[in-house]
Amino acid sequence: MKLIVAVVQDKDSNRLSNALVDEDFRATKLASTGGFLKAGNTTFLIGVEDNHIDQVLQIIQDNCKAREQLVAPVSPMGGNADSYVPYPVEVQVGGATVFILEVEQFEQF
Ligand code: 2BA
Protein backbone atom coordinates (compact mmCIF):
# COMPACT_ATOMS: atom_id res chain seq x y z
CA MET A 1 0.00 0.00 0.00
CA LYS A 2 1.12 3.57 -0.68
CA LEU A 3 0.20 6.98 0.65
CA ILE A 4 -0.15 9.60 -2.07
CA VAL A 5 0.36 13.15 -0.80
CA ALA A 6 -0.81 15.65 -3.42
CA VAL A 7 -0.61 19.44 -3.06
CA VAL A 8 -3.14 21.02 -5.42
CA GLN A 9 -4.63 24.45 -5.97
CA ASP A 10 -7.79 25.26 -4.02
CA LYS A 11 -9.60 25.88 -7.33
CA ASP A 12 -9.15 22.22 -8.28
CA SER A 13 -9.75 20.60 -4.92
CA ASN A 14 -13.53 20.06 -5.14
CA ARG A 15 -13.32 18.64 -8.63
CA LEU A 16 -10.52 16.30 -7.57
CA SER A 17 -12.30 15.07 -4.44
CA ASN A 18 -15.49 14.43 -6.43
CA ALA A 19 -13.53 12.50 -9.07
CA LEU A 20 -11.84 10.37 -6.39
CA VAL A 21 -15.16 9.57 -4.72
CA ASP A 22 -16.71 8.72 -8.11
CA GLU A 23 -13.93 6.18 -8.69
CA ASP A 24 -14.29 4.80 -5.16
CA PHE A 25 -11.00 6.10 -3.76
CA ARG A 26 -10.78 7.42 -0.22
CA ALA A 27 -9.01 10.65 0.57
CA THR A 28 -8.49 13.22 3.28
CA LYS A 29 -8.22 16.91 2.41
CA LEU A 30 -6.07 19.21 4.51
CA ALA A 31 -6.05 23.00 4.23
CA SER A 32 -2.43 23.99 3.59
CA THR A 33 -0.36 27.04 2.69
CA GLY A 34 2.37 27.22 0.07
CA GLY A 35 5.73 28.27 1.50
CA PHE A 36 6.57 30.53 -1.45
CA LEU A 37 3.29 32.27 -2.35
CA LYS A 38 1.94 32.02 1.20
CA ALA A 39 -1.44 31.35 -0.41
CA GLY A 40 -3.89 28.64 0.52
CA ASN A 41 -3.71 25.33 -1.25
CA THR A 42 -5.09 21.87 -0.51
CA THR A 43 -3.16 18.76 0.44
CA PHE A 44 -4.77 15.39 -0.27
CA LEU A 45 -3.80 12.23 1.61
CA ILE A 46 -4.86 9.23 -0.44
CA GLY A 47 -4.21 5.70 0.83
CA VAL A 48 -4.21 3.30 -2.10
CA GLU A 49 -3.19 -0.23 -3.05
CA ASP A 50 -0.11 -0.42 -5.27
CA ASN A 51 -2.05 -1.63 -8.31
CA HIS A 52 -4.23 1.53 -8.25
CA ILE A 53 -1.41 4.10 -8.12
CA ASP A 54 -1.46 4.82 -11.85
CA GLN A 55 -5.23 5.25 -11.87
CA VAL A 56 -5.10 7.77 -9.00
CA LEU A 57 -2.23 9.67 -10.63
CA GLN A 58 -4.28 9.88 -13.83
CA ILE A 59 -7.29 11.23 -11.90
CA ILE A 60 -5.07 13.87 -10.28
CA GLN A 61 -3.58 14.82 -13.63
CA ASP A 62 -7.01 15.04 -15.30
CA ASN A 63 -8.48 17.28 -12.61
CA CYS A 64 -5.66 19.67 -11.70
CA LYS A 65 -4.29 22.25 -14.07
CA ALA A 66 -1.28 24.55 -13.91
CA ARG A 67 -1.97 28.29 -13.78
CA GLU A 68 0.16 31.41 -13.99
CA GLN A 69 0.10 33.50 -10.85
CA LEU A 70 1.55 36.97 -10.39
CA VAL A 71 3.53 37.57 -7.20
CA ALA A 72 2.97 41.21 -6.29
CA PRO A 73 5.78 43.24 -4.71
CA VAL A 74 5.46 43.93 -1.00
CA SER A 75 6.82 47.14 0.50
CA PRO A 76 9.97 46.62 2.58
CA MET A 77 8.50 49.23 4.95
CA GLY A 78 5.58 47.07 5.96
CA GLY A 79 4.08 43.63 5.77
CA ASN A 80 6.02 40.45 6.03
CA ALA A 81 9.72 40.97 5.22
CA ASP A 82 9.99 37.29 4.22
CA SER A 83 7.64 37.83 1.28
CA TYR A 84 9.41 40.90 -0.17
CA VAL A 85 10.19 40.72 -3.89
CA PRO A 86 11.35 43.89 -5.66
CA TYR A 87 9.20 43.52 -8.81
CA PRO A 88 6.15 41.47 -9.88
CA VAL A 89 7.06 37.99 -11.04
CA GLU A 90 4.89 35.46 -12.75
CA VAL A 91 5.22 31.92 -11.45
CA GLN A 92 3.59 28.82 -12.81
CA VAL A 93 1.79 26.98 -10.05
CA GLY A 94 1.25 23.26 -10.78
CA GLY A 95 -0.95 21.17 -11.55
CA ALA A 96 -0.19 19.06 -8.61
CA THR A 97 2.89 18.30 -6.55
CA VAL A 98 2.74 14.63 -5.70
CA PHE A 99 4.71 12.49 -3.26
CA ILE A 100 4.24 8.72 -3.08
CA LEU A 101 5.22 7.10 0.22
CA GLU A 102 5.42 3.47 1.27
CA VAL A 103 2.87 2.59 3.98
CA GLU A 104 4.39 0.28 6.60
CA GLN A 105 1.11 -0.64 8.22
CA PHE A 106 -2.55 0.35 7.81
CA GLU A 107 -5.19 -0.17 10.48
CA GLN A 108 -8.75 1.03 10.94
CA PHE A 109 -10.46 0.58 14.28
P1 2BA B 1 4.23 27.51 -3.07
O1 2BA B 1 5.39 27.18 -2.20
O2 2BA B 1 3.40 28.68 -2.69
O3 2BA B 1 4.83 27.71 -4.55
C1 2BA B 1 4.00 28.17 -5.61
C2 2BA B 1 4.79 28.20 -6.90
O4 2BA B 1 5.84 29.17 -6.78
C3 2BA B 1 5.50 26.88 -7.23
O5 2BA B 1 4.61 26.03 -7.93
C4 2BA B 1 6.69 27.34 -8.06
O6 2BA B 1 6.31 27.56 -9.42
C5 2BA B 1 7.00 28.71 -7.47
N1 2BA B 1 8.08 28.65 -6.49
C6 2BA B 1 8.11 28.00 -5.32
N2 2BA B 1 9.25 28.21 -4.66
C7 2BA B 1 9.98 29.03 -5.45
C8 2BA B 1 11.26 29.63 -5.32
N3 2BA B 1 12.05 29.43 -4.23
N4 2BA B 1 11.70 30.44 -6.33
C9 2BA B 1 10.92 30.64 -7.42
N5 2BA B 1 9.69 30.12 -7.60
C10 2BA B 1 9.24 29.32 -6.63
P2 2BA B 1 4.69 24.45 -7.71
O7 2BA B 1 6.10 23.99 -7.81
O8 2BA B 1 3.69 23.86 -8.64
O9 2BA B 1 4.24 24.20 -6.20
C11 2BA B 1 2.89 24.39 -5.77
C12 2BA B 1 2.81 24.16 -4.28
O10 2BA B 1 3.16 22.79 -4.01
C13 2BA B 1 3.78 24.97 -3.44
O11 2BA B 1 3.23 26.26 -3.17
C14 2BA B 1 3.93 24.14 -2.18
O12 2BA B 1 2.81 24.32 -1.33
C15 2BA B 1 3.86 22.72 -2.76
N6 2BA B 1 5.20 22.19 -3.02
C16 2BA B 1 5.91 22.28 -4.17
N7 2BA B 1 7.08 21.63 -4.06
C17 2BA B 1 7.13 21.13 -2.83
C18 2BA B 1 8.10 20.36 -2.11
N8 2BA B 1 9.26 19.97 -2.65
N9 2BA B 1 7.81 20.02 -0.83
C19 2BA B 1 6.64 20.38 -0.26
N10 2BA B 1 5.67 21.10 -0.88
C20 2BA B 1 5.92 21.47 -2.16
Side-chain angles (χ1 to χ4, degrees):
M1 187 182 210
K2 299 275 194 292
L3 179 67
I4 299 178
V5 178
V7 184
V8 310
Q9 294 182 51
D10 285 343
K11 285 175 186 159
D12 295 323
S13 72
N14 269 343
R15 197 177 38 215
L16 176 57
S17 54
N18 290 338
L20 289 167
V21 169
D22 286 350
E23 298 290 331
D24 215 17
F25 291 111
R26 293 168 190 210
T28 297
K29 279 166 66 174
L30 306 175
S32 46
T33 304
F36 185 68
L37 294 180
K38 296 175 173 58
N41 53 28
T42 303
T43 299
F44 282 78
L45 303 180
I46 310 163
V48 67
E49 294 303 336
D50 290 24
N51 58 328
H52 286 127
I53 294 283
D54 290 344
Q55 196 184 347
V56 171
L57 291 179
Q58 192 61 54
I59 293 170
I60 294 171
Q61 210 174 326
D62 290 346
N63 287 280
C64 300
K65 58 178 182 187
R67 297 180 182 87
E68 299 291 335
Q69 201 159 320
L70 210 60
V71 181
V74 176
S75 164
M77 304 300 288
N80 183 353
D82 289 351
S83 59
Y84 174 66
V85 282
Y87 48 85
V89 268
E90 201 166 55
V91 292
Q92 195 187 57
V93 186
T97 300
V98 180
F99 304 87
I100 301 176
L101 315 175
E102 195 69 51
V103 174
E104 225 166 81
Q105 196 171 339
F106 172 68
E107 306 282 357
Q108 283 186 304
F109 299 108

